[in-house]
Amino acid sequence: MTLSRLVFRSMRKNLKQYYLYFFALIFSVTLCFSFTTLQYNPSVTEALERSGTANAGFSAASYILYVIITLFVLYASQLFMKRRSKEIGLYQLIGMTKGLVVRLIALENVVLFLFAVCIGMVLGFFSSRLFAMILMKMLDIDMVIHLVFSQEAFKQSVIIFAILLVVIILQLAWMVRRVSLLSLFSATKQADERIKRFSVFQAVMGFLGLLFIAVGYYLSTILFDIKSGFLNNLFLNMILILVSTMLGTFLFFRYSVSLIMNVIRSNKKGHLKVSDVLAVTPIMHRMKGNSKSLTLITLLTGLAVGIMSLSYISFYSSGTNARQASPYDYILLNDKGTEFINQLEQEEIEYEQDSYNISSVMLNIADLVSVQLEEFTLFDGETQTTVIPLSNLQQIEPDVQLAEGEAYLTSYVNVLAEIMPLEADKEITVKAGEIELPLYIKEIREDFMLSEEVALGSPILVVTDSVFEEIQSNNIEETQFTSQIGINLIDERDKELAEELYKNLSDERTIAIGENDTYSFTLESYEELRKRNITALGLTIFVTAFLGLAFLLTTGSILYFKQMAEAEDERESYKILRKIGFSTNDILKGIYAKQAFNFGVPLVIGLLHSYFAVKSGWWLFGTELVAPLVIIMGLYIVMYAVFAILSIQYYKKVVKESL
């Protein structure tokens, strides 16, 4: 029999073993070629250039995707070869040399790779248009995406999988040449750990695993707390949190799980049900072999959910951030560009208008910091602070009132507010020219009224009208901004025309400030700011979402492959249980518990890792936490549930075939 004929006969006989490996290859090629095709699509490149978005993120993401795909394919190959170890041993037992066995398996892999690359590229080519449409939607760009076959994408994908094929063949050659014949016949049992007695050392390590995770979580909650002193060595403390969490995760799966399972089994006092035999005992005995892979899957899940959540927080908060920067649809400063109002009236566009008088004082923010934070204050001395009269605030909040000598501090909702919160009910002194005015800060509010060009990220002081007039009369130096007109459209259908009118008056709205008018700027409308934020973040959220999807599908597939392999290993056990009288439902109860652990525990711990990581500094990325976090976590839970259900269905098939 020729080698080529033997290859095809072997592949035909091993279809049951091959289809998982073949699926893994096709899936990997599809992801890789789809992303690289999208990267080199002229329509996408044109859209990114038009929107001013740099496509450098594509290149960086490509390398990360290559790493994900490489690890996934290598794992699938290793699992596949492990399942065929007995077959390889039989080949040698009947007289085939190791070199001939290597050539046989290598040719099989070449054939598989050729078919997988062809099918995967076809699927990736057509799916790239779908991903391109999603990207354009995120960038808020309306354009037609054309399917274009990229030779560069084809070349990169072929090179990646050619290198991967060579690595797999070398891995195969090493396994066949270095591993003994006896070990090939027992390879499927090497992951098991036969535990006769749980030692004190294992119990201590189990407790340490839980302790390390708890310490990592606690340190993440005080990472940006000034009082903790962590900000002095931020990078070092982030490394400490990362190491503590990673080490704790490994120790948890390696020892803590066995410790918990031992406690459960001890409480049974020898009265074990079939569900205990099929759930508690296999989980405990396989932890030595599974701890590394479960740790990796858990950490990858936490990393993917964390990165996707932070990106989505930025994207989700783009509208809120734009509204904080421009509290009104259109803003006119220092009475510049009032022609815009006249044109709105000429076009019969209905609008609402609020007017603000603006002045400034010198204020020491450190006076409003809590006593515990006084020595850690980030402010040194007095800073110029914008002031408006109470009557201006009452335009948007009619019920607010101030007594003489009282004041509000508002618009202090940003990164500084999280790191160094201010306290109300305090006496402060402000300076206006040559005079000093004592004020009592009644409340710290979150109203946004003035453009970010006026406030410059600092809080705004709201005082009574009489105090404001006194401040204005005593300010010797002229304030850069003296007035603001805020305009909101009543009917959103007028937005397109209003935007055009606003842009056409950009020269009339230009503000020159500084000595000799050294700096000038033109305010953007709320809609322009919102679109700019979406454009800037759209590519980021798309790339992270694509990589997150790759992480999700690869980790879920790895877990699914592992459960399929374990189901085949336990087939004989199911036969024995069925022969001694246990029903399918009795056996499935233990399988349900086992799958709940194998899929649920890595998912739950991974989500906890991501939650504490995101919670520690989410405000650096946006203003919304709950909705983005719930959406991303919900997606991961649903996808993991799908893989768990598929795994249970496979177990059901194995159990039903056991007799």
Side-chain angles (χ1 to χ4, degrees):
M1 182 180 292
T2 62
L3 184 61
S4 59
R5 187 177 177 186
L6 185 61
V7 166
F8 286 105
R9 287 195 64 178
S10 174
M11 293 181 68
R12 188 171 64 252
K13 294 291 185 182
N14 284 286
L15 283 177
K16 186 177 180 180
Q17 303 281 359
Y18 272 114
Y19 83 93
L20 277 179
Y21 185 41
F22 194 50
F23 163 78
L25 291 176
I26 293 175
F27 167 70
S28 302
V29 176
T30 301
L31 274 182
C32 179
F33 190 65
S34 176
F35 193 79
T36 50
T37 299
L38 181 65
Q39 180 182 355
Y40 293 104
N41 189 309
S43 300
V44 175
T45 304
E46 178 189 346
L48 293 177
E49 291 177 352
R50 185 195 305 176
S51 64
T53 304
N55 60 355
F58 269 120
S59 300
S62 297
Y63 294 110
I64 299 175
L65 183 62
Y66 295 155
V67 173
I68 297 172
I69 289 172
T70 300
L71 293 176
F72 176 57
V73 173
L74 288 177
Y75 177 83
S77 173
Q78 184 182 21
L79 185 63
F80 172 67
M81 294 310 301
K82 184 178 178 181
R83 299 300 305 163
R84 296 190 61 195
S85 58
K86 288 184 180 179
E87 179 187 346
I88 295 173
L90 284 173
Y91 283 147
Q92 297 184 43
L93 195 62
I94 62 175
M96 292 180 65
T97 64
K98 290 186 175 182
L100 187 58
V101 172
V102 171
R103 288 168 57 193
L104 171 67
I105 307 299
L107 282 174
E108 290 182 10
N109 275 277
V110 170
V111 173
L112 278 176
F113 264 74
L114 286 175
F115 279 106
V117 168
C118 293
I119 296 173
M121 284 189 172
V122 172
L123 295 176
F125 176 70
F126 288 106
S127 63
S128 66
R129 189 173 190 273
L130 173 62
F131 288 121
M133 293 169 63
I134 295 173
L135 176 59
M136 294 302 104
K137 182 68 174 177
M138 289 183 171
L139 294 175
D140 203 7
I141 296 174
D142 186 14
M143 69 178 298
V144 178
I145 300 296
H146 300 284
L147 277 175
V148 178
F149 183 82
S150 171
Q151 293 184 356
E152 183 64 28
F154 176 79
K155 182 176 69 174
Q156 286 189 15
S157 299
V158 169
I159 291 174
I160 289 297
F161 284 94
I163 295 173
L164 199 52
L165 176 61
V166 172
V167 172
I168 289 174
I169 292 175
L170 291 176
Q171 183 185 40
L172 165 69
W174 180 87
M175 186 193 80
V176 174
R177 292 185 179 277
R178 295 297 180 93
V179 179
S180 65
L181 185 60
L182 181 61
S183 63
L184 286 172
F185 282 100
S186 61
T188 56
K189 304 297 181 184
Q190 289 178 356
D192 292 342
E193 180 183 17
R194 304 303 175 192
I195 302 176
K196 294 183 178 180
R197 193 171 186 178
F198 201 74
S199 66
V200 176
F201 170 78
Q202 291 172 312
V204 171
M205 297 303 289
F207 280 115
L208 281 178
L210 297 173
L211 179 63
F212 279 135
I213 293 177
V215 169
Y217 288 169
Y218 171 73
L219 293 180
S220 69
T221 61
I222 60 173
L223 182 61
F224 291 98
D225 188 351
I226 296 180
K227 290 184 290 185
S228 67
F230 266 41
L231 284 174
N232 298 329
N233 296 289
L234 184 61
F235 181 75
L236 180 63
N237 290 309
M238 290 175 69
I239 296 296
L240 178 62
I241 293 172
L242 183 64
V243 171
S244 176
T245 305
M246 291 176 63
L247 180 59
T249 304
F250 173 74
L251 292 178
F252 173 81
F253 284 111
R254 180 63 183 88
Y255 298 106
S256 302
V257 171
S258 297
L259 172 63
I260 295 170
M261 295 300 174
N262 251 292
V263 172
I264 294 174
R265 192 172 65 170
S266 298
N267 290 335
K268 299 286 184 178
K269 297 180 180 179
H271 302 287
L272 298 177
K273 300 178 182 178
V274 66
S275 58
D276 299 322
V277 175
L278 293 173
V280 176
T281 304
I283 291 171
M284 182 174 64
H285 285 181
R286 288 182 179 273
M287 271 302 104
K288 181 179 180 180
N290 292 343
S291 57
K292 293 180 181 178
S293 59
L294 289 177
T295 299
L296 179 62
I297 289 170
T298 300
L299 295 176
L300 288 178
T301 300
L303 177 64
V305 173
I307 293 176
M308 288 179 66
S309 297
L310 291 175
S311 299
Y312 193 42
I313 284 172
S314 300
F315 185 76
Y316 194 89
S317 305
S318 57
T320 304
N321 290 333
R323 184 57 77 186
Q324 290 181 358
S326 179
Y328 291 87
D329 293 342
Y330 307 99
I331 290 178
L332 307 174
L333 294 177
N334 293 354
D335 294 326
K336 296 278 186 134
T338 53
E339 297 88 348
F340 175 66
I341 300 175
N342 299 329
Q343 292 186 12
L344 289 178
E345 294 175 349
Q346 291 174 7
E347 297 292 340
E348 297 182 351
I349 297 176
E350 296 182 348
Y351 63 92
E352 295 176 339
Q353 175 181 326
D354 292 330
S355 299
Y356 294 88
N357 296 316
I358 302 171
S359 189
S360 63
V361 294
M362 300 303 293
L363 168 67
N364 192 346
I365 296 294
D367 294 338
L368 297 172
V369 176
S370 64
V371 176
Q372 295 86 348
L373 295 178
E374 285 182 351
E375 60 179 299
F376 304 105
T377 181
L378 301 176
F379 297 98
D380 185 18
E382 298 175 331
T383 56
Q384 190 176 49
T385 303
T386 303
V387 182
I388 64 170
L390 176 63
S391 58
N392 289 173
L393 177 60
Q394 288 174 337
Q395 294 175 115
I396 60 173
E397 293 288 342
D399 297 331
V400 296
Q401 297 294 332
L402 286 174
E404 286 299 323
E406 291 183 341
Y408 290 126
L409 205 65
T410 187
S411 301
Y412 190 66
V413 183
N414 50 26
V415 174
L416 284 177
E418 293 289 337
I419 297 178
M420 194 176 66
L422 303 182
E423 291 185 349
D425 299 324
K426 284 194 172 185
E427 296 281 352
I428 63 170
T429 300
V430 300
K431 293 181 180 179
E434 299 297 327
I435 68 167
E436 294 185 353
L437 298 172
L439 292 174
Y440 174 75
I441 302 300
K442 182 179 179 181
E443 185 182 350
I444 307 294
R445 298 177 58 89
E446 297 183 2
D447 309 290
F448 285 89
M449 302 159 289
L450 304 184
S451 167
E452 66 176 351
E453 294 289 347
V454 177
L456 296 177
S458 298
I460 297 171
L461 189 66
V462 182
V463 298
T464 60
D465 288 28
S466 58
V467 172
F468 181 80
E469 292 174 1
E470 186 176 359
I471 290 172
Q472 271 192 321
S473 62
N474 284 278
N475 267 336
I476 300 174
E477 296 184 3
E478 183 179 351
T479 305
Q480 291 178 340
F481 302 103
T482 57
S483 66
Q484 172 184 294
I485 300 175
I487 300 168
N488 283 330
L489 299 180
I490 295 177
D491 191 343
E492 285 293 312
R493 290 174 295 183
D494 296 326
K495 181 181 293 184
E496 184 176 352
L497 178 57
E499 288 288 323
E500 183 179 350
L501 297 175
Y502 194 70
K503 290 178 182 177
N504 292 338
L505 292 172
S506 59
D507 292 337
E508 288 80 357
R509 294 185 292 106
T510 300
I511 302 293
I513 59 176
E515 294 183 5
N516 300 320
D517 297 337
T518 54
Y519 170 67
S520 64
F521 66 92
T522 304
L523 287 182
E524 293 179 299
S525 67
Y526 160 74
E527 185 64 17
E528 288 176 311
L529 289 172
R530 188 189 67 83
K531 287 187 175 181
R532 188 180 67 183
N533 290 345
I534 289 177
T535 301
L537 298 169
L539 181 60
T540 302
I541 183 62
F542 175 80
V543 169
T544 54
F546 195 97
L547 294 178
L549 178 65
F551 272 119
L552 171 60
L553 294 177
T554 52
T555 53
S557 297
I558 287 173
L559 279 173
Y560 178 55
F561 292 170
K562 285 179 66 65
Q563 294 313 300
M564 293 185 71
E566 289 183 13
E568 293 296 332
D569 292 341
E570 295 167 1
R571 185 183 289 269
E572 293 299 322
S573 301
Y574 301 144
K575 288 183 179 180
I576 295 173
L577 290 172
R578 291 290 300 274
K579 286 179 180 179
I580 62 178
F582 288 104
S583 66
T584 301
N585 290 334
D586 293 330
I587 297 173
L588 288 178
K589 288 179 182 178
I591 291 174
Y592 292 149
K594 180 182 175 184
Q595 298 313 302
F597 172 86
N598 287 323
F599 285 93
V601 173
L603 175 63
V604 170
I605 297 178
L607 293 181
L608 283 174
H609 288 354
S610 63
Y611 170 77
F612 281 96
V614 172
K615 188 71 168 60
S616 65
W618 67 273
W619 34 268
L620 292 168
F621 297 85
T623 57
E624 303 287 339
L625 171 65
V626 178
L629 200 58
V630 169
I631 291 172
I632 298 300
M633 287 187 173
L635 175 63
Y636 260 72
I637 292 172
V638 169
M639 293 302 295
Y640 263 71
V642 170
F643 281 113
I645 292 171
L646 291 175
S647 178
I648 289 173
Q649 293 302 317
Y650 189 83
Y651 264 93
K652 285 183 178 180
K653 177 185 174 184
V654 172
V655 171
K656 289 178 180 179
E657 292 174 352
S658 59
L659 276 182

